[in-house]
Amino acid sequence: MPPHFPSNPDHGPHVAGPFHRHKSIHRILGGGKAADVLLWKNRNVSAGVLAGATLTWFLLDVVEYNAVPLLCQIAIFAMLAIFIASNAAQLFDRAPPRIPQVVISEHAFREMALTIHHKLEYAASPLYDIACGKDLKKFLMVVGSLLLLSVIGGSCSFTSLLYLGFLCAHTLPVLYQHYETEVDHLFARGGQDIKKFYEKVYSNLLNKIPRGPVKTKFR
């Protein structure tokens, strides 16, 4: 039996956006300061983050600095700056510079570990179901995405790949927020074309492939 596809969004009273989202972009991104940075609520902060990431990528990938020597040199520069400022303050009878104390509690580490564990467990179960072949469409999409990521990763360094991902995360949300209607329209038309193509492939090829029963996963 071929998979079920939703009806054409042009025929309904409401056209859903990509991925059928029902929340604002700000809430999808977490709704905190990180979302404000990604959506450029404060342009100076967002531009500073982008400039810092670009400088880091330039030093590690273009200039080919090693990460460990670079971090050590930054730490040495910071310690020298604090040392000079502290001693100069004593010579001129001024108060030494106050460095804000950073305290990371044990509770924060536990919350971070629990969050990572929850995210991994939440992602592992659907991936297992997809790998078992319960949804052939999602299986093909995941395999195609992994192949595409493999091709991109093979043509550039890991640092460039991380920087490319950062650029996408730092620019695509705000661009989508400004051009939401146009992007939704393109996604709706493209989605319908992909569904029609998949239905033809499924009926002519994939439906003829025999598949055994899927084993139940035990915990």
Side-chain angles (χ1 to χ4, degrees):
M1 180 180 180
H4 172 71
F5 295 101
S7 58
N8 193 326
D10 296 334
H11 296 164
H14 172 72
V15 178
F19 314 112
H20 304 283
R21 67 175 185 87
H22 299 285
K23 298 180 181 179
S24 64
I25 297 297
H26 192 267
R27 289 188 60 187
I28 292 176
L29 295 176
K33 293 183 179 180
D36 294 338
V37 173
L38 294 177
L39 292 176
W40 293 72
K41 299 292 184 181
N42 189 329
R43 294 188 176 182
N44 294 331
V45 175
S46 299
V49 172
L50 180 60
T54 303
L55 178 61
T56 303
W57 167 78
F58 179 80
L59 292 175
L60 295 178
D61 202 71
V62 179
V63 184
E64 296 184 351
Y65 263 106
N66 289 326
V68 174
L70 180 62
L71 293 176
C72 291
Q73 292 172 10
I74 293 174
I76 291 172
F77 177 79
M79 292 180 66
L80 286 176
I82 295 173
F83 176 80
I84 294 173
S86 300
N87 288 274
Q90 295 179 1
L91 293 176
F92 294 100
D93 294 330
R94 295 184 178 181
R98 298 182 61 182
I99 307 299
Q101 185 178 7
V102 179
V103 178
I104 302 179
S105 63
E106 182 181 356
H107 176 72
F109 274 104
R110 289 182 177 178
E111 288 293 329
M112 185 183 303
L114 289 176
T115 302
I116 295 175
H117 176 267
H118 175 72
K119 295 294 184 181
L120 291 176
E121 185 178 10
Y122 180 79
S125 180
L127 287 177
Y128 177 82
D129 293 337
I130 293 174
C132 289
K134 293 183 178 180
D135 192 329
L136 189 57
K137 180 182 178 181
K138 291 182 179 179
F139 177 81
L140 295 176
M141 290 178 60
V142 171
V143 172
S145 301
L146 292 176
L147 287 175
L148 178 61
L149 183 61
S150 175
V151 173
I152 296 175
S155 60
C156 61
S157 65
F158 182 68
T159 308
S160 297
L161 188 62
L162 288 179
Y163 181 66
L164 179 62
F166 170 81
L167 283 181
C168 292
H170 203 63
T171 56
L172 293 183
V174 66
L175 290 176
Y176 174 73
Q177 191 177 46
H178 282 82
Y179 303 100
E180 182 175 355
T181 305
E182 292 82 356
V183 174
D184 287 351
H185 179 68
L186 291 176
F187 265 85
R189 293 186 59 183
Q192 291 300 317
D193 294 337
I194 293 175
K195 289 171 185 176
K196 292 178 181 178
F197 175 75
Y198 177 78
E199 287 177 348
K200 292 181 180 179
V201 174
Y202 186 90
S203 59
N204 296 330
L205 178 63
L206 300 179
N207 194 29
K208 300 178 181 179
I209 300 176
R211 294 193 299 270
V214 179
K215 297 181 179 180
T216 306
K217 178 176 62 176
F218 296 97
R219 294 184 179 273

